[in-house]
Structure formats: C-alpha cells, structure tokens
Amino acid sequence: MKTSDETLASITNAFLDGDTTVLAALSVGITLPYAIQDVTVTDVTTGQRIGVTAIKNAHTFHATIVGDLQHLLGAPNDWNTDDDHTRLQEINPNLYQYTALLPAGTYHYKIAFNNGWSDVIPYENITLTVPKDNTEVTFSYVPYDNITQHAEIYDTINNPNVALPTVNDTATNLIAITLDSIPDVSHTLELQLSGYAETPIVPRSILDAERFFYAGDDLGYILTPQSTGFRLWAPTAADVQLLLFESETGGISQQVAMHQAENGTWQVSVEQSLENWYYLYLVTVQGKTQTALDPYARALAVNATRAMIVDLAKTQPTNWESDSYQKLANPVDAVIYEVHVRDFSINLNSGMKHKGKFLAFTEHNTSSPDQISTGMESLQELGVTHIQVLPAYEFASVDEQKPDQYNWGYDPRNYNVPEGAYATTPHGPARISEFKQMIQSVHHNQIGVVMDVVYNHTFSTGDSDFDKIVPQYYYRTDALGHYTNGSGCGNEVASERPMVQKFIRDSLVYWVKEYHVDGFRFDLMALLGVDTMQKIEKDLHAIHPGLLIYGEPWIGGSSALSSQQLFTKGQQCNRNLGVFNDHMRNALIGNVFAHDMQGFATGASDQVDEIKQAVTGSVHDFTAAPSETINYASSHDNLTLWDKISASNAQVSEAERIKMDKLVQAILMTSQGVPFFQGGEEFLRTKEGNDNSYNAGDAVNQFDWSRKAKYKDVFEYYAGLIKLRKNHPAFRMTTTAAIDSHLSFLDGPANTVMFQLGPHANQDSWQHILVIYNPTNAAVSFSLPEGIWNLAVSEDQISEQGLQQMTGQIEVPGIACLVLYQN
C-alpha cells in the first residue's frame, strides 16, 4: 500500500454499465488476476460497502488487418474493414493474432476495429517487406502493453524478438467489476483500488434499462388555468427542486421540492396557473448541486438564462388554424433553397423593414433601390418550393441583446425554442409567435419551410443542461470515459440511448405539430444512426406524409457509434429519406476542399461517367430511388458556387464563368432527384472567397440584392430552369424502373453528355426530350435523333414554346446546356 506522501495512480473513469457491472479505466494498468479484497465500492449516501464478486479484463476487440495484402488472403478487395478473412483472434485477454503465408513483396497495413474506418491504428500505415514467397507472418495486437502502457501492433518481420503477453501476465487498463447487489443509481457511489485514488461511479449504460424509460408525453410543463405541472427525467438525481421566478431577471419567488416518480422522473404540480413565469431546476446529483434549464423548455428568457412558461395557444397568429403544410406528391417535386434568416434581409438594399428577423419573411412587395423585387417576391419569381432555414432554434454563440453578433447557429443551446436574435425582441414569447408568422407567410406563398437541425452535438459538455441533469448519459463516451468527437465539435449526442432518442423524436414531432414545419435537414445525419432515423421517419410521416427528411450522410470525426449504425450513403435505401449527393457536387465543380480543382462544368475532362450517374438519380450508385438523392453543387459550407468557379477558373472571363454557373444549374435541374441550391446563387452570390463564414458577420454573409439587378439574366435563367422542371415530370421520375425505361444516353463527342427522355416519361406532355451538356470551350456537333426537334433551352434563353426548330446535325455552343423536345 502506498503511503499518503506518494502520488496515487488514478482511476480515469468508472461507469455503472449494468445492474451489477462497473467498468473502470485506469491510468496505470494492473496485472490479472487481481485480489477482490483490494477493491472497495462504497455507497457514499448510506455509508455502506457493496460487495465485489469478480474482476476481469474488459477489453474485447473486433480487430481486422486491413491493407494492400488482403486480396491475397481471401478478402474480395484490399483495405476492406468489413471482411472477416483477416480478423485477429483472441489468444488471451491481452493478445490478438492473425497468421498468414505471404508471397515476397512490400505491403502496407494497419488495424481497423468494429468493421469501420472510424477507429483505426496507427495513423500512418505500417510497411511490411516479405523477403521470400510463402513466408509465415504473424500479426499481433496487444491492447495494453505493460512497458509502453498503451496499445501496440507487432508483426514477426518488423518485430521478430518482441515479448508478447501470456495468459499468466495479462495486463489491462480496463476492468469489469461484478458487484453482489444492485446499487441505487440516485446514490453517490465510489470506487477505490489499492494504490489508486478513489473516483465516483457514474451510472451510464444501466440507464438504458427499461425501468428507466419514461414513455409519457408530459416532460417539461403542462399549463392549465388552475395548475402548472412539471416533470423532469433525472434518474441519477438525489434531489430536484423547482425554482420559480415571477420575472425574467428577478429573484426566486418560490422554491418547490419535486418528488421521485415513475421511470426515473421527478414531478410536482403547483396549484396555480404560472403563465408567463420563469423556472429552473436545482438538481443534486453525485454530491453536486447545480441549476439547469429544462431540456423540454418551450420558451426562454433572453440568452436562455431561464425557461419561460407560456400558453402556446396565445402565440398563434391570426388564422393559424387554417395554415397547412406544403404538400408534394413525391420529394423529387421539391426545389430547395437554403437561406440564413439574417443573411436574407440584413443588407441595406434588401428593401425589408425587419432586417435580419423572422418577420422579414412576412413582408410583401419589397424591392431594392434598383426597383428589383427582393425577399418573398423574389422567391416567388424564382419558383422554389421550399426554403431550408439554417439553424433557427436557440443557439449559444450570439448574445441576443447585441444586434451586431453573427453565427450560423450550429451550436445548439436549446432544441425546442426559436432563436431570440431573430425576433424583434428576445424577451417573452415574441420569438415563438414571429417564427410562426414567418412559416404562415411562407406557406401563403405556396412555399414550404425545412428546418436545419443539429441533434448530433451540443455547444458544450459538462456545463450543458444535459450533463448537469444526467451526467455523461446524453453523450457518447469511450471505455476510458472520454467524450467521443464524431461531430468534430468536441462531442456527439448518444442518440442510440433510449431517453436521448426519445428527446430527439419528441422535439421533431413538436416542431411539426406546433410550428407546421415541412421538413428537416439533419446536420451530420450519419451520427444519429440507422435505428434513430428509421423511427424519426415513421414518426414524422405519420403526421405529414409529404414531409421532407434528408441530411448529411457523413461524420465530422471518429465516432463511437458502430459502423453498421452510421447513417452513411446507401443506408437511406428504401427508407423514405434523402442524403446529400457529394458525388455529384464533386463531379460538377471539383473537390470542394481544393479550391482550384475543376469539375465537369468548370473545365475537367474526366467526370462524364460520374455526371451520368448523377443524371439518373444515382440509382445505380447509392440510391434505390431518385427521391433519396439531394443534388447540389454548393451550400453554406465551403465556397459559394460563384466563388468556387472563380477560384478554379481565375484566368477566364466573367462571361465564361457565368456560362459555367448556368451549366451547373442546368445539370442540377435536369437530373433525376431532388435539386438543392444555396440562396443567392441565382445572382452569383459571393463571400469573397471565405469558405467557412460561420462567424464572419454580415459583411461577408449578407445577400447583396443589388447583384440581382446586375445579373438579372442569371436570375431569369435559374427561374426558367425551375419552371421547366416543375412543368415537366420527365425530370422528376420517382422509381428506378421508370428511369431505366425512359432515360437513355446517346453517343456524343468526348467530354459531353447527351441523353433522351421518353416516350412521355412520367406522363410528360412532351413525347421525347433531348438534353445535351457541352462543358468544353468549343462548339461541338451533335447528330439529333430522327425528326424535328424544338429547342426549349439554349445557353442563355428558355422557352417551353420553342426558340427554334432543329433537325439533323446541330452545333452546341461551348459551355452550354441544350434541351430539345418533340411533341
């Protein structure tokens, strides 16, 4: 035993992960077997010790050798993470091995875990040089090396003399401790090992048990004329007090003790209508007492300092009961326009009174100093079916009382309340009523509202309300207790946990029912997981069958969610969900992370096959139906389309770059799938080369409406393409079978694409449609199929009545799209 003067090793983290299982991570590993009497588990609340019956190594690994040697060992291809031909086998709890006969040569490999790329070691590939054919090579993975005190990878060529651990000297820094009784999760629990400093035991996976799942719909508050009821899910809390305030900033008016109720909830009813009062919870958990905001809050004080109790019926605009969702027969009928609330109206030339606010979307007949329509009138002229609004719920990065602050809002603070900075006042329920007025106005213009939502992470941990109320439950943590970072923002929400999943589902349903939103765009949707997204789809389409659900099928870092659950491209197949098609984006304009890289429409000559895949709705790539692909070239992330074209074609004239821009949009609007574009593209929006303007302010992000007058021809071209798409269902086929039957590619000159739609594809009034993309600088000659063709789209004009008739050989101008038809 160490003396008090010696520095004790530490228990990095200890979790109660089962009724009687404690998972403990150690800063310095131990050698098993370990004496049970050297482990002490104490219920600090009662002062009682809890008996320990077993201690074992907790490391288990699904580890696979991946590299350029896998095809030699039975795998269908190299660098394959989900093939078991090269899986390592457990020799003892601290040694996993795989042995193979290899031909002479130089190879490269690493180890991947759990069938995915989210967890691999080492960062750089290991080089393996095999001297002669049929050399036996053994690969070893040691989870905890007693000398280096971390994981190691060895092979018998690079490390022929290394001493590997045996069953008798298994060292581990992760142990599973079995208790002889089930502890009370609301008590403070503590773990101590001989020679290690004590640490609290945090209930974690045990809370996934059915007895802690609360299925009720009354979390938050229930307001009636006679009473106000409160319910909070806090199963690990020792005490919860309700703090009531009559005003937004005044002192506590009442403190009411809440009582433990069913399934881990705390509940109390105050026999008084507390309309327009404010409240907080005072939560004591694991010996620490903190105030926390209700995650289910429906209204907030300025900057989310307190939750507010409002009568939601009183926040409804006039005739709200007659407001209805935007209805579509199929998602492919949508044309989605991405917009940031503040960007849309903040510029002095916007002609809108409520600059930077929700209410700007309620203004009509607005115009710029050039007498060009702006705002909602401009959206109607353009013809889009939906606006996708960047995060408009309460986010953390702006002070709502400072009108000059700016952020995109991908830093959630509270998920169920509109952002106060976009209201005429951040005080009281104005933000709620004004958000509803915005939606009502947009609906009145036959346009739907899609909310951009960020359920994959929060602004902070530790001091987040989630962590204050149920520490380390709402976030994914690894075996060592570290917050995992699949979002790239420092944490990732554990959507697979039952009560976290319920919170997300409840929140989405609330926005649809209370605010009449028409869809959701999920930020880093892959992190929410297959199971959660399937349940979300069923919840939302039960309310509104035409509601749009789509998101980003990627992650921002290494996630703790299993690779099988990550909602990546392909997982959306046959699930009534859509994903952003970055294959198409990169093919059109070049990799967005390489500013000077060109794409099919901007100068590259090797993207024809990728464009053909995109034209068909990617149904022979990663989708099962065209409704599953969101086709786009730019969004708020990365360079604007105009800036990307300018960066990759700095030496060409503005006129040529405008042709490229029009070609990009023409391809998007004539491809199968769901078209999406960044607001302002219709007048060549620029952010002066800023590719991550999340906090760059108005000077960079604002819509400069004067560009609409300057580039009126571009606006009219975009509007003409949208009208063409809406009028002609041939561009909006709904099934793979229809596309295979009615879309065929024709031969043409190198680096061009020509395809025909028909006959009467998707019951289109036009018998045959011919679409030609020529991204090359020079005019090229095409042979038209037999008959007389009417030209509907030229490089700068669109007319469904026909611009001219054509037959035989035609010249297609450089950097242009032509659309022709036969009746």
Side-chain angles (χ1 to χ4, degrees):
M1 184 72 102
K2 298 193 177 200
T3 69
S4 58
D5 293 330
E6 294 178 292
T7 301
L8 296 178
S10 63
I11 303 170
T12 308
N13 241 302
F15 292 112
L16 188 61
D17 271 356
D19 282 345
T20 58
T21 302
V22 175
L23 184 73
L26 314 175
S27 65
V28 177
I30 61 172
T31 300
L32 298 178
Y34 192 81
I36 287 175
Q37 60 268 28
D38 287 340
V39 181
T40 304
V41 177
T42 306
D43 183 330
V44 177
T45 304
T46 64
Q48 300 296 309
R49 287 184 60 172
I50 300 172
V52 173
T53 61
I55 304 164
K56 66 177 183 178
N57 175 43
H59 280 300
T60 56
F61 297 97
H62 187 292
T64 304
I65 301 290
V66 295
D68 54 16
L69 43 69
Q70 279 181 281
H71 71 283
L72 301 171
L73 304 172
N77 51 280
D78 290 333
W79 302 104
N80 190 325
T81 62
D82 58 2
D83 183 85
D84 280 344
H85 281 90
T86 53
R87 182 176 173 181
L88 290 89
Q89 302 301 310
E90 182 177 343
I91 307 304
N92 65 58
N94 202 33
L95 178 62
Y96 291 72
Q97 290 186 323
Y98 175 78
T99 299
L101 295 175
L102 287 171
T106 298
Y107 307 97
H108 306 88
Y109 77 92
K110 59 177 57 177
I111 291 181
F113 298 93
N114 303 317
N115 298 105
W117 286 107
S118 60
D119 188 9
V120 295
I121 59 171
Y123 179 76
E124 298 289 346
N125 297 331
I126 298 170
T127 299
L128 178 76
T129 301
V130 177
K132 59 182 180 178
D133 288 345
N134 294 317
T135 297
E136 183 177 275
V137 182
T138 297
F139 302 87
S140 299
Y141 170 60
V142 179
Y144 184 81
D145 188 290
N146 227 355
I147 298 173
T148 65
Q149 296 191 356
H150 53 72
E152 295 290 354
I153 298 173
Y154 302 114
D155 63 68
T156 49
I157 290 181
N158 288 311
N159 320 98
N161 301 314
V162 69
L164 297 171
T166 67
V167 70
N168 295 320
D169 62 354
T170 296
T172 182
N173 61 345
L174 188 70
I175 56 174
I177 300 167
T178 303
L179 309 178
D180 67 2
S181 60
I182 302 172
D184 188 327
V185 299
S186 69
H187 289 187
T188 299
L189 307 172
E190 191 173 83
L191 170 67
Q192 186 170 22
L193 275 66
S194 178
Y196 290 75
E198 66 270 14
T199 195
I201 300 172
V202 179
R204 185 176 64 171
S205 297
I206 190 176
L207 301 179
D208 293 345
E210 188 175 351
R211 68 182 181 276
F212 295 114
F213 182 76
Y214 181 72
D217 60 1
D218 60 343
L219 290 167
Y221 68 84
I222 301 293
L223 178 67
T224 74
Q226 296 79 34
S227 65
T228 311
F230 299 85
R231 190 184 292 270
L232 174 72
W233 188 73
T236 61
D239 184 67
V240 181
Q241 300 283 318
L242 173 67
L243 307 182
L244 295 170
F245 310 84
E246 286 190 71
S247 66
E248 187 175 30
T249 57
I252 297 173
S253 302
Q254 294 182 44
Q255 180 168 328
V256 183
M258 301 182 74
H259 60 267
Q260 286 181 299
E262 61 269 31
N263 303 94
T265 63
W266 292 73
Q267 191 268 340
V268 73
S269 182
V270 178
E271 300 308 308
Q272 177 185 353
S273 175
L274 298 173
E275 183 181 352
N276 295 328
W277 283 49
Y278 296 82
Y279 71 103
L280 289 169
Y281 292 122
L282 186 67
V283 182
T284 300
V285 60
Q286 295 168 13
K288 189 175 184 179
T289 301
Q290 301 178 89
T291 57
L293 196 73
D294 186 356
Y296 278 81
R298 303 306 199 224
L300 296 169
V302 66
N303 289 327
T305 53
R306 295 170 182 175
M308 186 183 183
I309 303 162
V310 299
D311 182 347
L312 288 168
K314 294 180 180 179
T315 67
Q316 294 177 359
T318 304
N319 298 322
W320 182 245
E321 66 281 356
S322 63
D323 181 73
S324 62
Y325 303 112
Q326 175 78 349
K327 294 179 176 61
L328 296 176
N330 188 280
V332 296
D333 297 333
V335 178
I336 303 169
Y337 181 95
E338 183 189 47
V339 63
H340 182 275
V341 171
R342 186 178 175 96
D343 296 353
F344 188 65
S345 57
I346 197 68
N347 192 285
L348 291 175
N349 65 26
S350 72
M352 287 170 258
K353 176 183 175 183
H354 298 97
K355 289 182 170 56
K357 306 299 182 183
F358 295 132
L359 290 183
F361 291 86
T362 69
E363 298 181 44
H364 300 284
N365 301 314
T366 60
S367 60
S368 69
D370 304 296
Q371 300 305 305
I372 296 290
S373 64
T374 62
M376 287 305 302
E377 258 60 39
S378 186
L379 292 183
Q380 278 197 300
E381 284 178 23
L382 191 57
V384 297
T385 67
H386 290 74
I387 58 170
Q388 176 190 296
V389 181
L390 266 71
Y393 50 73
E394 174 75 12
F395 53 85
S397 52
V398 301
D399 184 335
E400 293 173 341
Q401 300 180 97
K402 295 181 179 178
D404 60 337
Q405 292 197 352
Y406 182 95
N407 205 279
W408 282 345
Y410 292 93
D411 51 341
R413 177 69 176 81
N414 184 279
Y415 286 101
N416 296 315
V417 184
E419 168 58 39
Y422 299 150
T424 54
T425 174
H427 304 281
R431 62 179 78 191
I432 299 173
S433 61
E434 292 176 10
F435 191 74
K436 289 178 177 177
Q437 288 176 62
M438 177 185 82
I439 291 174
Q440 184 183 48
S441 171
V442 175
H443 283 172
H444 181 73
N445 287 278
Q446 287 77 53
I447 298 173
V449 178
V450 175
M451 286 186 67
D452 190 340
V453 289
V454 190
Y455 291 101
N456 65 79
H457 74 277
T458 61
F459 176 66
S460 62
T461 55
D463 62 350
S464 75
D465 298 306
F466 286 150
D467 259 349
K468 288 179 181 179
I469 296 168
V470 192
Q472 297 191 61
Y473 176 75
Y474 283 88
Y475 302 96
R476 293 183 186 128
T477 46
D478 63 18
L480 302 180
H482 304 131
Y483 289 89
T484 55
N485 190 23
S487 68
C489 298
N491 65 85
E492 54 182 312
V493 170
S495 55
E496 69 279 11
R497 297 188 181 280
M499 285 302 290
V500 183
Q501 188 181 84
K502 173 180 166 58
F503 172 80
I504 295 170
R505 293 169 66 186
D506 287 349
S507 177
L508 291 163
V509 167
Y510 174 71
W511 283 109
V512 175
K513 288 185 173 181
E514 184 64 33
Y515 288 93
H516 301 179
V517 301
D518 302 278
F520 296 99
R521 176 267 190 194
F522 289 89
D523 183 70
L524 298 183
M525 182 171 69
L527 290 175
L528 293 185
V530 174
D531 178 62
T532 300
M533 288 308 305
Q534 283 184 287
K535 290 173 180 173
I536 286 170
E537 184 273 325
K538 288 180 172 57
D539 292 343
L540 300 183
H541 284 152
I543 303 167
H544 174 15
L547 187 134
L548 296 177
I549 308 173
Y550 58 94
E552 295 178 310
W554 46 74
I555 60 179
S558 180
S559 175
L561 189 64
S562 72
S563 59
Q564 294 91 337
Q565 273 293 307
L566 287 172
F567 205 98
T568 49
K569 279 194 297 290
Q571 292 283 17
Q572 85 294 328
C573 285
N574 299 310
R575 288 185 166 132
N576 296 318
L577 304 167
V579 296
F580 281 94
N581 190 341
D582 56 338
H583 295 180
M584 183 179 197
R585 177 199 67 193
N586 292 342
L588 274 173
I589 62 171
N591 191 301
V592 294
F593 301 108
H595 292 183
D596 59 351
M597 184 176 288
Q598 299 174 337
F600 175 81
T602 58
S605 59
D606 57 351
Q607 297 296 317
V608 167
D609 290 342
E610 288 75 8
I611 294 299
K612 287 181 177 180
Q613 288 275 26
V615 163
T616 61
S618 298
V619 294
H620 298 297
D621 185 4
F622 65 88
T623 72
S627 57
E628 297 171 2
T629 171
I630 307 298
N631 294 334
Y632 79 117
S634 77
S635 68
H636 63 277
D637 281 323
N638 310 117
L639 294 176
T640 68
L641 176 58
W642 183 243
D643 286 348
K644 172 64 170 167
I645 292 172
S646 299
S648 61
N649 286 272
Q651 307 307 316
V652 307
S653 67
E654 181 180 84
E656 277 192 87
R657 284 182 274 128
I658 289 174
K659 287 182 180 181
M660 293 175 181
D661 186 281
K662 289 180 176 179
L663 177 58
V664 168
Q665 198 64 21
I667 295 171
L668 288 172
M669 289 299 162
T670 55
S671 291
Q672 305 299 317
V674 182
F676 167 105
F677 63 100
Q678 184 181 8
E681 277 185 21
E682 69 274 24
F683 42 76
L684 306 183
R685 182 181 185 181
T686 178
K687 296 183 184 179
E688 303 299 337
N690 189 323
D691 66 352
N692 189 22
S693 63
Y694 74 99
N695 65 351
D698 298 330
V700 171
N701 289 287
Q702 63 190 335
F703 276 32
D704 180 359
W705 287 97
S706 70
R707 293 177 71 87
K708 184 180 175 184
K710 183 177 181 180
Y711 299 109
K712 192 168 186 294
D713 65 314
V714 177
F715 180 92
E716 290 175 348
Y717 190 81
Y718 273 51
L721 287 169
I722 293 170
K723 184 178 179 181
L724 177 77
R725 182 180 179 86
K726 291 167 78 172
N727 287 346
H728 290 280
F731 299 113
R732 298 180 280 111
M733 289 185 274
T734 60
T735 67
T736 298
I739 292 169
D740 287 344
S741 298
H742 296 288
L743 190 157
S744 57
F745 290 98
L746 308 178
D747 292 334
N751 200 36
T752 64
V753 172
M754 178 165 62
F755 61 93
Q756 185 169 319
L757 300 165
H760 297 292
N762 202 20
Q763 300 180 319
D764 201 292
S765 60
W766 288 347
Q767 183 178 7
H768 293 290
I769 301 173
L770 191 66
V771 181
I772 305 172
Y773 307 145
N774 175 23
T776 68
N777 289 318
V780 293
S781 179
F782 281 83
S783 297
L784 292 176
E786 185 178 345
I788 297 173
W789 292 85
N790 299 289
L791 179 64
V793 177
S794 70
E795 59 183 320
D796 53 11
Q797 288 183 284
I798 299 174
S799 172
E800 293 180 46
Q801 286 68 48
L803 297 167
Q804 66 180 99
Q805 290 189 333
M806 312 182 87
T807 185
Q809 289 287 118
I810 65 166
E811 287 284 308
V812 179
I815 317 178
C817 168
L818 265 56
V819 178
L820 305 97
Y821 68 91
Q822 290 179 334
N823 281 324

